[in-house]
Amino acid sequence: MTDGMRFAADELARLATDLLAALGVPADDAATAAAAVVQADLDGVDTHGMGRLPNYLLRLRRGIMNPAPQMAFVRRMGATAVLDADNGMGQVAAARAMREAVRLAGELGIGLVTVRGSGHFGATSYYTGIAIDAGMIGLALSNSPPAMAPHGGRAAFLGTNPIGVGVPVAGGDPIILDMATSAIARGQILKANRNGAPIPPGVAVDEAGATTTDAAAALRGALLPMAGAKGFGLALAVEVLCALLAGAAASPEIPSYFDNFERPSTIGHVMAAINIAAFVEPDAFAARAAGLIDGLHQVPPAIGSAGVRIPGERRSALRRQLLAGGVPLAPAAVAQLTQLAEELGVAPPSPIT
Amino acid sequence: MTDGMRFAADELARLATDLLAALGVPADDAATAAAAVVQADLDGVDTHGMGRLPNYLLRLRRGIMNPAPQMAFVRRMGATAVLDADNGMGQVAAARAMREAVRLAGELGIGLVTVRGSGHFGATSYYTGIAIDAGMIGLALSNSPPAMAPHGGRAAFLGTNPIGVGVPVAGGDPIILDMATSAIARGQILKANRNGAPIPPGVAVDEAGATTTDAAAALRGALLPMAGAKGFGLALAVEVLCALLAGAAASPEIPSYFDNFERPSTIGHVMAAINIAAFVEPDAFAARAAGLIDGLHQVPPAIGSAGVRIPGERRSALRRQLLAGGVPLAPAAVAQLTQLAEELGVAPPSPIT
């Protein structure tokens, strides 16, 4: 938490929707993108929340992100489809792709939809959440600009290529994985750099390839993959699916999210939904999922640990807390959003009083 | 390499086929299982190769693995199917499931086949190789007996739940991921224990939950997941798919591969195939895959590294070398296989002279 003001999630969604609509994003698309952005804040992934919105707005103003794209499914075969996002917002494209994957899975047991010509989609959990809401297992992947050195190399080449998995647990919190394939998320390094804080050892190298705990040096250098060769392998698999299979740009071809406002991102995503009912009785699945989670909670804690935490457990609790008590935003983010609201003629953010 | 004798891969496959057939495995199934076992040796995964065969033979003799199962697809929906393996060999079931996934992907762009009631399938690369041979991307997952502590816990609960991904690269070696979600493969700890060698720090805990470099203590304790919470999350995702979605036993319910010869394994797998031609032109995919690999090879080496190695590169080279020069087997493995051949009335292994 920060010491900033707090805002109702609905008010943040209203603000984000208004700001996007003011730049020509159709109302439905603006609402979708706003929901994805606010959910990142609710999930504690504030690097992909309202603080990131000005970056998207700048892309729309510069004309490198298309506010009103002609998104189209350009190929279809059975349980698969290819969405060309026409350089629209990543949130809009990814949500549309996951909804289509859910529809295909409803008919054919599984749906796999690739996306090309897209932009940064934020946290994966909004998209796997669409599958969870449909009672399905969801998978969300994306490639991203070069940020991470391959295992054995010293320079950034692949992105931090995230993997998201969502599993519905009837009567309980869903299982939600939302992880970069790097040892640390790039957003964490950006945050450390802003705060003048060090980064943990072993997660990044400087420009010369030496490991560093200096955030600024790491940003000029490269992140390292999680678990060495294994994380590199997973990042490469994500790259193959999101770039080569989707027909999108590969990581090395993607312009920086933060330093390049001249070219569209042209990145790729993969969204998959799995229809549980095609495989087992959903009630049996739900009961066994609850039993598996109970069993994990009963494992004796590691030395120095408070015990096993199921992936998604913390974010579900935080979501409830922030929905009830409001989302804290840092003063700098509030000031930037207030100024953008003024420039674009929309109502400024109104905090909880 | 060991200082043992060398055997032609074909001779090892002949021996494995004969031994399995002598215990009632039908000829085709015996040949499939033998091919999977020998490929593990060719790939350098000797913990899952001919040295593991006596374990399978013992299960067949004890009647806890079914030599002539009535495997059947018990559910089908669109691009998905559920194979009940009837406690047959994992290799036979997983290969059949992947062939079905490839067939479904040929019609519907993707195929996803779950397997229940199965056994240890060895290395994932044999199954992703079936997809690669069909020009498709393959995914192979399995759960396994409890061996790994969840992040935050101190006792074994999930298995080392492996993830395999295979990507065809026309004109070059395929990309092959074949990784346990633990920080180290259990087979590596078994090998260290046999050799009286230490294991690396930070990969396992003893019975009391303290980190250990003693292989025997680690075998009584638990492996740790790769990359902490991230590896645990991936292992849990594999568990959800292979146990809950497949309707197979969950890891905590699975008897040990090494200490329990009283109960069938009843584990689950997931096999998926993705038809590249459903998404992009295969020629374009092939050219871009080659370009991506070239780019990775050109990344300057990390300090102290010989440079970037693509997942699968080493095993493809080793496979060529061992196919040409023979597979080395340790003297103890040769002695055990020779004795089994005598007991079961088949020709003993004949080394390259």
Side-chain angles (χ1 to χ4, degrees), chain A residues 75 77 79-80 106 108 116 152-154 157 180 182 209 226 230 243-245 248 250 277 279-281 288-289 296 300-302 305, chain B residues 75 77 79-80 106 108 116 152-154 157 180 182 226 230 243-245 248 250 277 279-281 288-289 296 300-303 305 307:
Chain A
R75 289 176 90 119
M77 180 182 185
T80 69
L108 298 166
R116 59 179 66 150
R154 73 170 66 177
F157 187 90
S182 48
M226 68 175 199
K230 293 185 181 192
L244 276 47
L245 187 73
F279 299 88
V280 287
E281 296 307 314
R288 294 190 70 202
L296 283 163
S305 161
Chain B
R75 288 177 91 119
M77 180 183 185
T80 70
L108 298 166
R116 59 178 67 150
R154 73 171 66 178
F157 187 90
S182 48
M226 68 174 200
K230 293 184 181 192
L244 277 46
L245 187 73
F279 298 89
V280 287
E281 296 307 316
R288 293 190 70 201
L296 283 163
I303 294 171
S305 161

Side-chain angles (χ1 to χ4, degrees), chain B residues 190-252:
Chain B
L190 290 168
K191 197 189 286 187
N193 189 45
R194 276 198 304 275
N195 299 340
I199 58 172
V203 302
V205 292
D206 63 20
E207 279 172 296
T211 56
T212 182
T213 58
D214 181 78
L219 288 172
R220 289 190 303 270
L223 306 188
L224 294 175
M226 68 174 200
K230 293 184 181 192
F232 165 49
L234 289 170
L236 181 58
V238 171
E239 185 69 29
V240 164
L241 295 173
C242 294
L244 277 46
L245 187 73
S251 285

